[in-house]
Amino acid sequence: MKSGFNMSRRKKELADFHRESILKIAETLFEKNGVESTSMNDIAREAEYSKATLYVYFKNKEEIINCIILQSMKLLYDRIQASTQTEKDLLARYNSICHELTTYCDTYPLYFQILIQEINVDVNNPDTPPVFQEIFELGEKINGLIDIFIKDGISQGIFRSDIRIPETVFFFWASLSGIILMASQKKNYIEQFMNTTKQDFLKYSFDTLINSILKENKNV
Amino acid sequence: MKSGFNMSRRKKELADFHRESILKIAETLFEKNGVESTSMNDIAREAEYSKATLYVYFKNKEEIINCIILQSMKLLYDRIQASTQTEKDLLARYNSICHELTTYCDTYPLYFQILIQEINVDVNNPDTPPVFQEIFELGEKINGLIDIFIKDGISQGIFRSDIRIPETVFFFWASLSGIILMASQKKNYIEQFMNTTKQDFLKYSFDTLINSILKENKNV
Amino acid sequence: MKSGFNMSRRKKELADFHRESILKIAETLFEKNGVESTSMNDIAREAEYSKATLYVYFKNKEEIINCIILQSMKLLYDRIQASTQTEKDLLARYNSICHELTTYCDTYPLYFQILIQEINVDVNNPDTPPVFQEIFELGEKINGLIDIFIKDGISQGIFRSDIRIPETVFFFWASLSGIILMASQKKNYIEQFMNTTKQDFLKYSFDTLINSILKENKNV
Amino acid sequence: MKSGFNMSRRKKELADFHRESILKIAETLFEKNGVESTSMNDIAREAEYSKATLYVYFKNKEEIINCIILQSMKLLYDRIQASTQTEKDLLARYNSICHELTTYCDTYPLYFQILIQEINVDVNNPDTPPVFQEIFELGEKINGLIDIFIKDGISQGIFRSDIRIPETVFFFWASLSGIILMASQKKNYIEQFMNTTKQDFLKYSFDTLINSILKENKNV
DNA sequence: CATGAATGAGAATTCATTCAT
DNA sequence: AATGAATGAATTCTCATTCAT
């Protein structure tokens, strides 16, 4: 006979398994058809649960959405952190960050939309659901990673010393998001009309972008 | 009795008048409440037409949306063209373009979302509604304006001569969109946590961005 | 060709016709199965409208309920007023009132439940829907009819002169409601176990009740 | 090892304990939120049983409702009996009954609604659940108490001797229910518009009602 | 015995769209 | 041309109930 501890752990794991299954399907559908156009019915059908079961594991549709956002941000944070810790060379770290973001955008295309669209969370409002707090804090942690990267570049004499750090962090976030998102969504256009590959366009853009804060102009 | 020609012209003008009225209201509502949350009912009520009349002038809701996209792109094109023709100095033209895009994003916030999100149009598919063709062609015309701007910069010896033009056009589109959109949607965050204004952040970002293709590094 | 006036009148009449049809069916179902157990679906099916059409004529289920209450109260008021104006003899008027209430309870059994159950309306709260105001005012008007009846009885020297009028009005409302409702709902019991008819029981009860304020005890 | 008898007795007692716990919670919730708005989930959560366990002790929601009706009727019976046995003076007994009913209505507001609303039980139909039989029989026993009270009043020469006993029992039931229920539900109205207290109104009404069968008219 | 898990059925409501006039 | 009327289909979410363990 199993101990109570194991019992409850197994149960929790099972519940988590179901939550994950639902989230995975939901995310796929959100990406394919958009969040608003994806109904709980769609999720239920695709995930092969009954509609009512969805409500056993999630309070409502909004909770599903928020969980996906948080989850994907966690993953992004882990990846960026891992990649920046491994690489020692600064530009290699930059490429690594860009690569992670790109991979990330391919895996969770929804994320970038939300990253950009999501209305500012009012962190001080006590009515803001705790998930939003978590999302906000995670966002700050990711910012922190970029922040360290910029500071390292300055102290190594690679980046110009006159750049304003918080603005530059945000500037990189914004530009990289724009570049990656557009490359991802206009892939066909790029390949048809620009006579190059998406990958090549991204490489070119990342190099051009970093150029904007390098101490010495580099030929791309 | 009027000639057929006059009849049809008058009719056409009247029809255009109605279409415009509807589009104007629809756009206001789309911006205020979002596209999905705006119902045909809302549009009809606000525009003071009957719901059925909407379907006299537009095939369906989608056509209304597409018309708004096209219309707002036309406006953007006109503005960028006007501003690039007036200004002679290259960096003044850059600032002008950035300014137009920013104003534009504030006036038609919806546009940028769509600009970035809208699925790639398959221009060769005969089922693609003609409005998409128009949207695509207008996009190309706007690209053309940026293209000229880049080429002018190179020939004036202001931009590096080794840059790849089509990629750079796209790169600017993508980066500027990202920056402007994020500045617009995270205004509160910027002002609370970065201790600066949205306007200042934008200025800093635009300057940093152009730096990436300038022949000589400038201190921002 | 009809004038605008006639057109709109006809339309209004048609709309009223539909509203009435729906209300009639709704009332029947409410009576048969209870208000909460009657779904909009049930009403739609029975009334032979589509569910969506119900929402063309009524804002929501609550509006249907409130309309039925108001409508039935209007009818009750009219009936009581008519009967008290026709009859000159006081006790004949009393019988008439009782008879109207009884007929009424048979026709709109739902009404008595609501009359008794309906939570007190906060007349001063501006959020209270206007229908409730109307319901409340109509209730007051009906009270007014009983009030006049009591006062007439006193001034004619038929009722005791020491009775407190507002309390007595309410006392009669309450007792008559209780009697009529119970006679209506326990009809079988009365006829099986009391060896009399519902009608006879009602007559006996009404006579006994009025006895309570008569100046001279009457043998029933 | 315990004998089968003890086992089963202990089991039965335990089962009864659980049933009581559930019923107690259910009643509280029914009163607070209404029967239809109280879900099995609510009951389970509040009673700290699992939803499924509810179905171990009760066939379905309806059985819970019926048990509560029966239970509350039992309580009412006990109270009326106790109060009529203690008091010797007839009018004191009347006041006592009225007081018990009032207290009862305040404690179990639900009861009166059901007392009045509940559809006639077809006692002869074998499909009628046994709990309805019990409810019916208990109703008869309570009637019996009123019956004795009336008969005592007649034999003591306090009530008129020409009254018809079974009708009068029912008449009192109905009137008292109506009065108490209305006083309870229209408390605010009474206090605002009648310039008196609920308690005072009740006292006045009970006195007026009994007047209807008193041999000698009393001034209230 | 007790229950976690699962669900079919159904609730109110909304919406884009059609059609007869 | 313009529209009032009507609706099928869909949406989110709830609930009483069952069943394997």
Side-chain angles (χ1 to χ4, degrees):
Chain A
M1 222 211 276
K2 308 287 172 185
S3 76
F5 173 77
N6 278 333
M7 287 291 278
S8 93
R9 192 161 71 109
R10 179 159 318 153
K11 271 190 193 151
K12 201 190 165 313
E13 274 166 9
L14 196 57
D16 281 350
F17 171 79
H18 290 310
R19 281 178 67 98
E20 289 309 317
S21 309
I22 293 167
L23 288 176
K24 199 171 161 185
I25 294 289
E27 187 165 359
T28 314
L29 290 173
F30 285 168
E31 279 161 21
K32 192 160 55 174
N33 308 321
V35 174
E36 299 229 36
S37 300
T38 300
S39 75
M40 293 298 269
N41 229 338
D42 296 338
I43 300 173
R45 192 189 321 107
E46 208 71 16
E48 294 183 300
Y49 290 87
S50 97
K51 227 187 313 178
T53 307
L54 260 42
Y55 286 88
V56 172
Y57 291 104
F58 297 91
K59 206 173 135 278
N60 52 28
K61 193 184 177 182
E62 215 187 331
E63 193 181 309
I64 294 182
I65 298 170
N66 291 334
C67 280
I68 289 176
I69 296 175
L70 184 60
Q71 218 180 35
S72 63
M73 282 186 75
K74 272 180 188 152
L75 211 60
L76 178 61
Y77 175 76
D78 289 344
R79 285 177 172 205
I80 292 181
Q81 197 188 30
S83 77
T84 53
Q85 276 174 345
T86 315
E87 295 289 349
K88 295 301 164 212
D89 175 57
L90 198 78
L91 292 184
R93 268 165 72 190
Y94 174 65
N95 287 330
S96 197
I97 290 172
C98 291
H99 177 253
E100 286 307 332
L101 280 172
T102 308
T103 313
Y104 196 70
C105 180
D106 289 341
T107 325
Y108 301 90
L110 191 65
Y111 172 73
F112 270 79
Q113 255 108 302
I114 288 160
L115 174 88
I116 291 179
Q117 277 167 57
E118 189 61 26
I119 329 139
N120 259 306
V121 179
D122 184 354
V123 191
N124 301 317
N125 187 338
D127 285 350
T128 306
V131 186
F132 279 123
Q133 287 278 354
E134 284 193 69
I135 290 175
F136 176 80
E137 281 160 22
L138 203 42
E140 288 297 274
K141 281 178 75 179
I142 299 180
N143 275 355
L145 295 178
I146 311 286
D147 192 88
I148 291 169
F149 165 73
I150 304 277
K151 283 175 179 158
D152 282 358
I154 294 172
S155 67
Q156 290 177 29
I158 296 172
F159 296 158
R160 297 203 324 271
S161 55
D162 62 334
I163 59 178
R164 297 198 252 151
I165 293 166
E167 281 90 335
T168 306
V169 170
F170 225 67
F171 162 79
F172 265 87
W173 257 124
S175 303
L176 287 174
S177 305
I179 291 163
I180 292 169
L181 195 52
M182 198 169 280
S184 151
Q185 307 219 272
K186 311 282 183 184
K187 185 170 182 293
N188 287 342
Y189 179 88
I190 291 169
E191 308 202 330
Q192 270 184 47
F193 294 83
M194 263 168 45
N195 199 30
T196 183
T197 62
K198 179 189 155 193
Q199 206 172 0
D200 188 55
F201 166 74
L202 282 172
K203 173 98 184 81
Y204 178 81
S205 296
F206 296 149
D207 287 347
T208 305
L209 188 66
I210 194 71
N211 210 26
S212 63
I213 59 166
L214 288 183
K215 210 166 210 165
E216 314 216 349
N217 249 342
K218 262 197 179 169
N219 284 2
V220 186
Chain B
M1 224 211 271
K2 309 288 173 185
S3 77
F5 174 76
N6 278 335
M7 284 291 279
S8 94
R9 191 163 69 108
R10 182 163 312 158
K11 266 187 195 169
K12 198 189 169 312
E13 276 168 8
L14 194 58
D16 280 351
F17 171 79
H18 289 310
R19 284 177 64 98
E20 289 309 316
S21 308
I22 293 166
L23 288 176
K24 198 173 162 184
I25 294 290
E27 185 164 1
T28 314
L29 291 174
F30 284 167
E31 277 161 23
K32 193 159 53 172
N33 308 320
V35 174
E36 301 237 28
S37 299
T38 300
S39 73
M40 294 296 269
N41 225 341
D42 296 337
I43 300 173
R45 192 190 318 108
E46 207 72 17
E48 293 183 304
Y49 289 87
S50 102
K51 231 186 308 181
T53 308
L54 260 42
Y55 287 87
V56 173
Y57 293 105
F58 296 92
K59 201 171 139 280
N60 52 28
K61 194 185 177 183
E62 217 188 331
E63 193 182 310
I64 294 182
I65 297 170
N66 291 334
C67 280
I68 287 174
I69 296 174
L70 182 60
Q71 221 178 34
S72 63
M73 283 185 75
K74 273 181 188 153
L75 209 61
L76 179 61
Y77 174 75
D78 290 344
R79 286 177 170 206
I80 292 181
Q81 196 186 31
S83 77
T84 52
Q85 276 175 345
T86 316
E87 295 288 351
K88 295 302 163 213
D89 175 57
L90 198 78
L91 291 185
R93 269 164 73 190
Y94 175 65
N95 287 330
S96 197
I97 290 171
C98 290
H99 176 254
E100 286 306 332
L101 279 172
T102 307
T103 313
Y104 196 71
C105 179
D106 289 341
T107 327
Y108 302 90
L110 192 64
Y111 173 72
F112 268 78
Q113 255 109 301
I114 288 162
L115 174 88
I116 290 178
Q117 277 168 60
E118 191 60 28
I119 334 137
N120 258 306
V121 179
D122 183 353
V123 192
N124 301 317
N125 185 339
D127 285 349
T128 306
V131 84
F132 278 122
Q133 287 279 354
E134 287 193 68
I135 289 175
F136 175 79
E137 282 160 20
L138 201 45
E140 287 297 275
K141 282 178 75 180
I142 300 180
N143 275 355
L145 295 177
I146 311 285
D147 191 88
I148 291 169
F149 164 74
I150 303 277
K151 283 174 179 160
D152 283 358
I154 295 171
S155 66
Q156 291 177 29
I158 296 172
F159 297 159
R160 297 204 324 269
S161 55
D162 62 334
I163 59 179
R164 283 155 40 182
I165 294 168
E167 280 89 336
T168 307
V169 169
F170 225 67
F171 163 78
F172 265 87
W173 256 124
S175 302
L176 288 173
S177 305
I179 291 164
I180 292 169
L181 195 52
M182 197 170 279
S184 152
Q185 307 220 273
K186 311 281 183 185
K187 187 170 181 293
N188 286 342
Y189 179 87
I190 290 170
E191 308 202 330
Q192 267 186 48
F193 293 82
M194 263 167 47
N195 200 32
T196 183
T197 62
K198 178 190 157 192
Q199 208 172 359
D200 189 55
F201 167 73
L202 282 173
K203 174 95 183 84
Y204 179 82
S205 296
F206 296 150
D207 288 347
T208 306
L209 187 65
I210 194 71
N211 211 25
S212 63
I213 60 165
L214 288 184
K215 208 165 212 164
E216 313 217 348
N217 250 345
K218 263 193 175 172
N219 284 1
V220 186
Chain C
M1 223 210 273
K2 308 288 172 185
S3 75
F5 173 77
N6 278 333
M7 286 291 279
S8 93
R9 194 162 70 107
R10 178 158 318 154
K11 273 192 191 147
K12 202 190 166 311
E13 275 167 6
L14 195 57
D16 281 350
F17 171 78
H18 289 310
R19 282 178 65 98
E20 289 308 319
S21 308
I22 293 167
L23 288 176
K24 199 172 161 184
I25 295 288
E27 186 165 0
T28 314
L29 290 173
F30 285 167
E31 279 161 21
K32 193 160 52 173
N33 307 320
V35 173
E36 300 228 39
S37 300
T38 301
S39 75
M40 292 298 268
N41 228 340
D42 296 337
I43 299 173
R45 191 189 323 105
E46 208 71 17
E48 294 183 301
Y49 289 89
S50 98
K51 229 190 306 181
T53 306
L54 260 43
Y55 286 87
V56 172
Y57 292 104
F58 296 92
K59 204 171 138 281
N60 50 31
K61 193 183 176 183
E62 216 188 330
E63 193 182 310
I64 294 183
I65 297 170
N66 290 334
C67 279
I68 289 176
I69 296 174
L70 184 60
Q71 217 180 36
S72 62
M73 282 186 74
K74 272 183 187 151
L75 211 61
L76 178 61
Y77 174 76
D78 289 344
R79 285 180 170 203
I80 292 182
Q81 196 188 31
S83 78
T84 51
Q85 275 176 346
T86 315
E87 294 289 351
K88 295 301 164 212
D89 175 57
L90 198 78
L91 291 185
R93 268 164 72 190
Y94 174 66
N95 287 331
S96 197
I97 290 171
C98 291
H99 176 253
E100 287 305 333
L101 279 172
T102 308
T103 312
Y104 195 70
C105 179
D106 289 341
T107 326
Y108 301 91
L110 190 65
Y111 172 72
F112 270 80
Q113 254 108 302
I114 288 161
L115 173 88
I116 291 179
Q117 276 169 60
E118 189 63 25
I119 331 139
N120 259 307
V121 179
D122 183 354
V123 192
N124 301 318
N125 187 340
D127 285 350
T128 305
V131 186
F132 279 124
Q133 287 278 354
E134 284 193 69
I135 290 175
F136 176 81
E137 281 160 24
L138 202 44
E140 288 296 275
K141 281 179 74 180
I142 300 181
N143 274 354
L145 295 178
I146 311 286
D147 192 88
I148 291 168
F149 164 73
I150 303 278
K151 283 175 179 158
D152 282 358
I154 295 173
S155 69
Q156 289 177 29
I158 296 173
F159 297 158
R160 296 205 324 270
S161 55
D162 62 335
I163 60 180
R164 285 156 39 182
I165 294 167
E167 279 91 336
T168 307
V169 170
F170 225 66
F171 163 78
F172 264 87
W173 258 123
S175 304
L176 287 174
S177 305
I179 291 163
I180 292 169
L181 195 53
M182 197 169 281
S184 152
Q185 308 217 274
K186 312 282 183 186
K187 186 171 183 291
N188 287 342
Y189 178 87
I190 291 170
E191 307 202 330
Q192 270 184 46
F193 293 82
M194 263 167 48
N195 199 30
T196 182
T197 63
K198 178 190 156 193
Q199 206 173 1
D200 188 56
F201 166 73
L202 282 172
K203 174 96 183 84
Y204 178 83
S205 295
F206 295 149
D207 286 347
T208 305
L209 188 66
I210 195 71
N211 211 25
S212 62
I213 60 166
L214 286 182
K215 210 164 209 166
E216 313 219 346
N217 250 342
K218 262 193 175 174
N219 284 359
V220 185
Chain D
M1 222 211 272
K2 309 287 173 184
S3 76
F5 174 77
N6 278 335
M7 282 291 279
S8 94
R9 191 162 71 108
R10 182 162 312 158
K11 266 186 196 170
K12 199 188 168 312
E13 274 167 8
L14 195 56
D16 280 350
F17 172 77
H18 290 310
R19 284 177 64 99
E20 287 310 316
S21 308
I22 294 166
L23 288 176
K24 198 173 163 183
I25 295 289
E27 183 162 4
T28 314
L29 291 173
F30 285 168
E31 276 162 23
K32 192 159 56 174
N33 308 319
V35 174
E36 302 235 26
S37 300
T38 301
S39 71
M40 293 296 271
N41 224 341
D42 297 336
I43 299 172
R45 191 188 323 106
E46 209 72 17
E48 294 181 304
Y49 288 87
S50 103
K51 232 187 306 182
T53 308
L54 262 40
Y55 287 85
V56 173
Y57 293 105
F58 296 93
K59 202 172 136 276
N60 51 28
K61 195 184 176 183
E62 217 188 329
E63 192 182 311
I64 294 182
I65 298 170
N66 291 333
C67 281
I68 288 174
I69 296 174
L70 182 60
Q71 218 178 36
S72 64
M73 283 185 74
K74 271 180 188 152
L75 210 60
L76 179 62
Y77 174 76
D78 289 344
R79 284 178 171 204
I80 292 182
Q81 195 187 32
S83 78
T84 52
Q85 275 175 344
T86 315
E87 294 288 350
K88 295 302 165 212
D89 176 57
L90 198 77
L91 291 185
R93 268 164 73 190
Y94 174 66
N95 287 331
S96 196
I97 290 171
C98 290
H99 177 254
E100 286 306 332
L101 279 172
T102 308
T103 311
Y104 197 72
C105 179
D106 289 341
T107 325
Y108 304 89
L110 193 65
Y111 172 73
F112 269 78
Q113 254 108 302
I114 289 163
L115 174 87
I116 291 179
Q117 275 168 57
E118 191 60 29
I119 334 139
N120 258 306
V121 179
D122 184 353
V123 193
N124 301 318
N125 186 338
D127 285 349
T128 305
V131 83
F132 277 124
Q133 287 280 355
E134 285 193 68
I135 289 176
F136 175 80
E137 280 161 22
L138 201 44
E140 287 297 275
K141 280 180 75 180
I142 300 180
N143 276 354
L145 294 178
I146 311 287
D147 193 87
I148 292 168
F149 164 73
I150 302 277
K151 283 177 179 158
D152 281 358
I154 295 173
S155 68
Q156 290 177 29
I158 296 173
F159 298 158
R160 297 204 323 271
S161 55
D162 61 336
I163 59 179
R164 297 197 258 157
I165 294 167
E167 280 91 334
T168 306
V169 170
F170 226 66
F171 162 79
F172 264 87
W173 257 124
S175 302
L176 287 174
S177 305
I179 291 164
I180 291 169
L181 195 52
M182 197 170 278
S184 153
Q185 307 221 272
K186 312 281 183 184
K187 187 170 182 291
N188 286 342
Y189 179 88
I190 290 169
E191 307 202 329
Q192 267 186 48
F193 293 83
M194 263 167 48
N195 200 30
T196 183
T197 62
K198 180 190 154 191
Q199 207 172 359
D200 188 56
F201 166 74
L202 282 173
K203 173 96 182 84
Y204 179 82
S205 295
F206 296 151
D207 286 347
T208 306
L209 188 66
I210 194 71
N211 211 24
S212 63
I213 60 166
L214 287 183
K215 209 165 208 165
E216 312 219 346
N217 249 343
K218 261 196 177 172
N219 282 3
V220 186

